[in-house]
Short mmCIF file of all heavy atoms in Angstrom, two decimals:
data_model
loop_
_atom_site.label_atom_id
_atom_site.label_comp_id
_atom_site.label_asym_id
_atom_site.label_seq_id
_atom_site.Cartn_x
_atom_site.Cartn_y
_atom_site.Cartn_z
N MET A 351 -25.00 -84.31 -35.59
CA MET A 351 -25.93 -84.08 -34.53
C MET A 351 -27.25 -84.92 -34.68
O MET A 351 -28.34 -84.39 -34.67
CB MET A 351 -26.22 -82.63 -34.31
CG MET A 351 -25.03 -81.77 -33.79
SD MET A 351 -24.41 -82.42 -32.23
CE MET A 351 -25.77 -82.08 -31.10
N VAL A 352 -27.04 -86.20 -34.98
CA VAL A 352 -28.11 -87.13 -35.16
C VAL A 352 -28.04 -88.31 -34.14
O VAL A 352 -26.95 -88.85 -34.05
CB VAL A 352 -28.16 -87.69 -36.56
CG1 VAL A 352 -29.30 -88.70 -36.74
CG2 VAL A 352 -28.47 -86.56 -37.56
N TRP A 353 -29.14 -88.61 -33.43
CA TRP A 353 -29.17 -89.80 -32.58
C TRP A 353 -29.50 -91.00 -33.38
O TRP A 353 -30.37 -91.06 -34.25
CB TRP A 353 -30.23 -89.60 -31.48
CG TRP A 353 -29.95 -88.70 -30.40
CD1 TRP A 353 -30.44 -87.43 -30.17
CD2 TRP A 353 -29.09 -88.93 -29.24
NE1 TRP A 353 -30.04 -86.90 -28.95
CE2 TRP A 353 -29.16 -87.82 -28.39
CE3 TRP A 353 -28.23 -90.02 -28.88
CZ2 TRP A 353 -28.42 -87.73 -27.19
CZ3 TRP A 353 -27.53 -89.93 -27.70
CH2 TRP A 353 -27.60 -88.77 -26.88
N ILE A 354 -28.88 -92.14 -33.02
CA ILE A 354 -29.36 -93.51 -33.38
C ILE A 354 -29.24 -94.45 -32.19
O ILE A 354 -28.45 -94.29 -31.31
CB ILE A 354 -28.60 -94.08 -34.60
CG1 ILE A 354 -27.19 -94.36 -34.29
CG2 ILE A 354 -28.69 -93.19 -35.85
CD1 ILE A 354 -26.44 -95.21 -35.24
N CYS A 355 -30.16 -95.49 -32.22
CA CYS A 355 -30.06 -96.47 -31.20
C CYS A 355 -29.39 -97.70 -31.73
O CYS A 355 -29.76 -98.25 -32.78
CB CYS A 355 -31.49 -96.84 -30.67
SG CYS A 355 -31.44 -98.06 -29.35
N SER A 356 -28.32 -98.14 -31.07
CA SER A 356 -27.52 -99.28 -31.54
C SER A 356 -28.06 -100.57 -30.85
O SER A 356 -27.96 -101.68 -31.51
CB SER A 356 -26.05 -99.09 -31.29
OG SER A 356 -25.80 -98.99 -29.88
N GLU A 357 -28.51 -100.47 -29.66
CA GLU A 357 -29.03 -101.64 -28.98
C GLU A 357 -30.08 -101.22 -28.09
O GLU A 357 -30.12 -100.12 -27.52
CB GLU A 357 -27.87 -102.34 -28.11
CG GLU A 357 -26.74 -102.87 -28.93
CD GLU A 357 -27.02 -104.05 -29.73
OE1 GLU A 357 -28.07 -104.69 -29.47
OE2 GLU A 357 -26.31 -104.44 -30.71
N GLY A 358 -31.05 -102.17 -27.71
CA GLY A 358 -32.06 -101.79 -26.69
C GLY A 358 -33.47 -102.29 -27.06
O GLY A 358 -33.72 -102.71 -28.23
N SER A 359 -34.35 -102.21 -26.11
CA SER A 359 -35.64 -102.68 -26.33
C SER A 359 -36.76 -101.61 -25.95
O SER A 359 -37.96 -101.88 -25.84
CB SER A 359 -35.92 -103.96 -25.42
OG SER A 359 -35.73 -103.72 -24.05
N SER A 360 -36.32 -100.33 -25.62
CA SER A 360 -37.31 -99.36 -25.32
C SER A 360 -38.12 -99.00 -26.56
O SER A 360 -37.80 -99.30 -27.68
CB SER A 360 -36.64 -98.07 -24.81
OG SER A 360 -35.91 -97.46 -25.90
N ARG A 361 -39.33 -98.42 -26.33
CA ARG A 361 -40.23 -98.07 -27.38
C ARG A 361 -39.44 -97.08 -28.32
O ARG A 361 -39.65 -97.25 -29.58
CB ARG A 361 -41.46 -97.35 -26.77
CG ARG A 361 -42.38 -96.77 -27.78
CD ARG A 361 -43.59 -96.15 -27.08
NE ARG A 361 -43.17 -95.13 -26.12
CZ ARG A 361 -42.88 -93.85 -26.34
NH1 ARG A 361 -42.94 -93.42 -27.62
NH2 ARG A 361 -42.58 -93.03 -25.37
N GLN A 362 -38.74 -96.19 -27.83
CA GLN A 362 -38.03 -95.23 -28.72
C GLN A 362 -36.89 -95.90 -29.53
O GLN A 362 -36.73 -95.61 -30.74
CB GLN A 362 -37.35 -94.13 -27.88
CG GLN A 362 -38.36 -93.23 -27.11
CD GLN A 362 -38.85 -93.74 -25.86
OE1 GLN A 362 -38.73 -94.95 -25.47
NE2 GLN A 362 -39.30 -92.85 -24.98
N CYS A 363 -36.25 -96.89 -28.96
CA CYS A 363 -35.19 -97.58 -29.68
C CYS A 363 -35.80 -98.44 -30.80
O CYS A 363 -35.29 -98.42 -31.94
CB CYS A 363 -34.38 -98.54 -28.74
SG CYS A 363 -32.94 -99.32 -29.53
N LEU A 364 -36.85 -99.15 -30.51
CA LEU A 364 -37.47 -100.02 -31.50
C LEU A 364 -38.01 -99.09 -32.64
O LEU A 364 -37.97 -99.43 -33.83
CB LEU A 364 -38.61 -100.81 -30.93
CG LEU A 364 -38.11 -101.85 -29.89
CD1 LEU A 364 -39.31 -102.59 -29.30
CD2 LEU A 364 -37.14 -102.84 -30.45
N ALA A 365 -38.62 -97.95 -32.33
CA ALA A 365 -39.10 -97.02 -33.39
C ALA A 365 -37.95 -96.48 -34.18
O ALA A 365 -38.08 -96.37 -35.44
CB ALA A 365 -39.81 -95.85 -32.70
N ASP A 366 -36.77 -96.19 -33.62
CA ASP A 366 -35.70 -95.69 -34.42
C ASP A 366 -35.17 -96.83 -35.33
O ASP A 366 -34.90 -96.51 -36.52
CB ASP A 366 -34.51 -95.32 -33.41
CG ASP A 366 -33.22 -94.96 -34.14
OD1 ASP A 366 -33.24 -93.95 -34.83
OD2 ASP A 366 -32.29 -95.78 -34.07
N LYS A 367 -35.17 -98.06 -34.88
CA LYS A 367 -34.65 -99.12 -35.76
C LYS A 367 -35.71 -99.38 -36.90
O LYS A 367 -35.21 -99.68 -38.03
CB LYS A 367 -34.47 -100.37 -34.93
CG LYS A 367 -33.23 -100.32 -34.00
CD LYS A 367 -32.98 -101.62 -33.30
CE LYS A 367 -31.66 -101.57 -32.47
NZ LYS A 367 -31.42 -102.86 -31.84
N ARG A 368 -36.93 -99.27 -36.60
CA ARG A 368 -37.89 -99.43 -37.71
C ARG A 368 -37.72 -98.34 -38.73
O ARG A 368 -37.80 -98.56 -39.92
CB ARG A 368 -39.36 -99.41 -37.12
CG ARG A 368 -39.75 -100.76 -36.41
CD ARG A 368 -41.23 -100.79 -36.17
NE ARG A 368 -41.67 -99.74 -35.28
CZ ARG A 368 -41.76 -99.77 -34.02
NH1 ARG A 368 -41.41 -100.97 -33.37
NH2 ARG A 368 -42.19 -98.72 -33.24
N LEU A 369 -37.50 -97.12 -38.26
CA LEU A 369 -37.42 -96.00 -39.09
C LEU A 369 -36.16 -96.14 -40.01
O LEU A 369 -36.24 -95.82 -41.25
CB LEU A 369 -37.23 -94.71 -38.30
CG LEU A 369 -37.15 -93.37 -39.04
CD1 LEU A 369 -38.45 -93.11 -39.79
CD2 LEU A 369 -36.86 -92.24 -38.12
N ARG A 370 -35.07 -96.77 -39.49
CA ARG A 370 -33.85 -96.90 -40.32
C ARG A 370 -33.82 -98.26 -40.99
O ARG A 370 -32.84 -98.60 -41.69
CB ARG A 370 -32.63 -96.79 -39.37
CG ARG A 370 -32.42 -95.37 -38.79
CD ARG A 370 -31.24 -95.23 -37.96
NE ARG A 370 -31.15 -96.00 -36.74
CZ ARG A 370 -30.43 -97.06 -36.54
NH1 ARG A 370 -29.59 -97.47 -37.44
NH2 ARG A 370 -30.48 -97.67 -35.34
N GLY A 371 -34.88 -99.14 -40.86
CA GLY A 371 -34.89 -100.40 -41.52
C GLY A 371 -33.94 -101.39 -40.95
O GLY A 371 -33.39 -102.19 -41.61
N VAL A 372 -33.86 -101.37 -39.61
CA VAL A 372 -32.96 -102.27 -38.92
C VAL A 372 -33.79 -103.19 -38.07
O VAL A 372 -34.59 -102.78 -37.26
CB VAL A 372 -31.92 -101.50 -38.09
CG1 VAL A 372 -31.09 -102.54 -37.35
CG2 VAL A 372 -31.09 -100.65 -38.97
N MET A 373 -33.52 -104.52 -38.18
CA MET A 373 -34.18 -105.49 -37.32
C MET A 373 -33.61 -105.38 -35.90
O MET A 373 -32.49 -104.89 -35.68
CB MET A 373 -33.94 -106.91 -37.85
CG MET A 373 -34.51 -107.15 -39.23
SD MET A 373 -36.32 -107.12 -39.29
CE MET A 373 -36.62 -108.70 -38.43
N THR A 374 -34.36 -105.87 -34.94
CA THR A 374 -33.92 -105.80 -33.59
C THR A 374 -32.66 -106.73 -33.31
O THR A 374 -31.89 -106.53 -32.36
CB THR A 374 -34.96 -106.33 -32.53
OG1 THR A 374 -35.42 -107.65 -32.99
CG2 THR A 374 -36.19 -105.40 -32.60
N THR A 375 -32.38 -107.64 -34.24
CA THR A 375 -31.22 -108.44 -34.16
C THR A 375 -30.02 -107.77 -34.78
O THR A 375 -28.86 -108.27 -34.74
CB THR A 375 -31.37 -109.74 -34.91
OG1 THR A 375 -31.71 -109.46 -36.27
CG2 THR A 375 -32.45 -110.56 -34.25
N GLY A 376 -30.23 -106.58 -35.39
CA GLY A 376 -29.11 -105.83 -36.02
C GLY A 376 -29.07 -106.21 -37.58
O GLY A 376 -28.22 -105.56 -38.23
N VAL A 377 -29.88 -107.01 -38.10
CA VAL A 377 -29.90 -107.33 -39.51
C VAL A 377 -30.92 -106.42 -40.19
O VAL A 377 -32.03 -106.22 -39.75
CB VAL A 377 -30.35 -108.85 -39.69
CG1 VAL A 377 -30.34 -109.13 -41.17
CG2 VAL A 377 -29.38 -109.71 -38.97
N SER A 378 -30.45 -105.78 -41.21
CA SER A 378 -31.36 -104.82 -41.96
C SER A 378 -32.49 -105.57 -42.65
O SER A 378 -32.35 -106.74 -43.08
CB SER A 378 -30.56 -104.00 -42.96
OG SER A 378 -30.18 -104.81 -44.04
#
Side-chain angles (χ1 to χ4, degrees):
M351 293 303 294
V352 175
W353 284 108
I354 66 166
C355 182
S356 60
E357 299 288 343
S359 60
S360 70
R361 173 178 55 83
Q362 293 88 339
C363 184
L364 296 178
D366 173 69
K367 289 185 175 184
R368 285 194 298 269
L369 183 65
R370 293 184 294 113
V372 177
M373 298 290 290
T374 56
T375 58
V377 179
S378 71

